[in-house]
Amino acid sequence: MRRLRLLFQVGVVAATAVVGVRFAMGWSLTSVETYCPFGGLETAYALLFRKRFACAAGELNVSLMLALLGLTFLARKAFCGWVCPLGAVLEWTGRLGRKIFGRKTYQGLWDIPPKVDTVLKVVLRLTVLVAVLSATWATGELVFRGYDPYYILFSANGHEVRTWSYAILGALLVGGMLLPLAWCKYLCPLGAAMWPLSLAGRLRLVRSSPHCTECGACDRACPQSIPVSRAPVVRSGECTLCFECTEACPSIGALEMRTGGARR
């Protein structure tokens, strides 16, 4: 599963980069914004109340957003762990940071208490989400472009990308080595929008106590720092179904994927 997921990630990152370069070179009319599901949420107000799309957003963005909501209800945040090109790059920088600093987990250089971590995830991401949507809905423009790491990274110096935009991207990439997946965990507005449905996601990892040796390998392997070994069912809205925990688990049958977390 680890190799299959990596194959998906590399393919999506490569395809997204090609789309960005083709648009920047004038070889295509399709930009990386066309495939961004968050664009569907950004244009929702304009579409519902002004009967038009916001700036570069269109029908495909809305369709992708609806599809993403359906996927999230079924498979939690699988989009983040399998499909999101920015998430893939940030996960790779996190792995690089682990090797550079010799860390065994994804906690980063700073040990953030679980309660503080939860508060930061909710407050910071919700703040970014509200700020982006408020500004976009008020102006009808995608004002987040110059700050959006996805757009900065893959648009090939797209519209409204400035020098300071690359400084933001660089800070996030370097910060991702110090605190893996910092953007995804604490700032991503799409992650904030997906979180409620992800909590209710039907596919869940279930831990079998008779098979579990309580070695903690699953906890150390989880990119989202979820305490897998302490729960009979992983209910966290941050689970991306990356299967890193199942790959790391030395006991067959200790962790299984089930619908709704139902136990046999």
Side-chain angles (χ1 to χ4, degrees), residues 113-196:
K115 291 185 178 179
V116 176
D117 180 70
T118 300
V119 171
L120 289 176
K121 286 177 179 177
V122 174
V123 174
L124 292 180
R125 284 191 303 194
L126 187 59
T127 299
V128 174
L129 176 64
V130 171
V132 172
L133 292 184
S134 298
T136 304
W137 291 355
T139 63
E141 298 291 332
L142 301 181
V143 295
F144 188 49
R145 274 188 182 126
Y147 305 89
D148 182 1
Y150 164 74
Y151 185 74
I152 300 169
L153 181 60
F154 292 105
S155 68
N157 200 41
H159 182 58
E160 294 183 11
V161 173
R162 303 290 184 263
T163 302
W164 50 263
S165 300
Y166 291 108
I168 292 175
L169 177 62
L172 288 174
L173 293 177
V174 173
M177 290 191 288
L178 304 176
L179 185 60
L181 296 172
W183 165 264
C184 305
K185 291 179 179 179
Y186 304 115
L187 296 172
C188 179
L190 182 58
M194 294 167 59
W195 185 71

Side-chain angles (χ1 to χ4, degrees), residues 84-106:
C84 179
L86 177 62
V89 172
L90 292 176
E91 184 180 330
W92 298 339
T93 61
R95 292 183 185 278
L96 178 61
R98 287 182 67 182
K99 291 183 178 180
I100 292 176
F101 300 108
R103 296 192 307 266
K104 295 182 179 181
T105 70
Y106 282 89

Side-chain angles (χ1 to χ4, degrees), residues 19-59:
V19 170
V21 171
R22 283 176 56 83
F23 182 79
M25 298 298 292
W27 300 336
S28 171
L29 297 177
T30 303
S31 74
V32 293
E33 291 177 300
T34 306
Y35 300 105
C36 179
F38 188 66
L41 194 57
E42 288 181 298
T43 195
Y45 182 86
L47 185 61
L48 291 174
F49 297 100
R50 299 173 183 171
K51 308 303 179 184
R52 63 181 179 84
F53 292 102
C55 196
E59 294 92 342

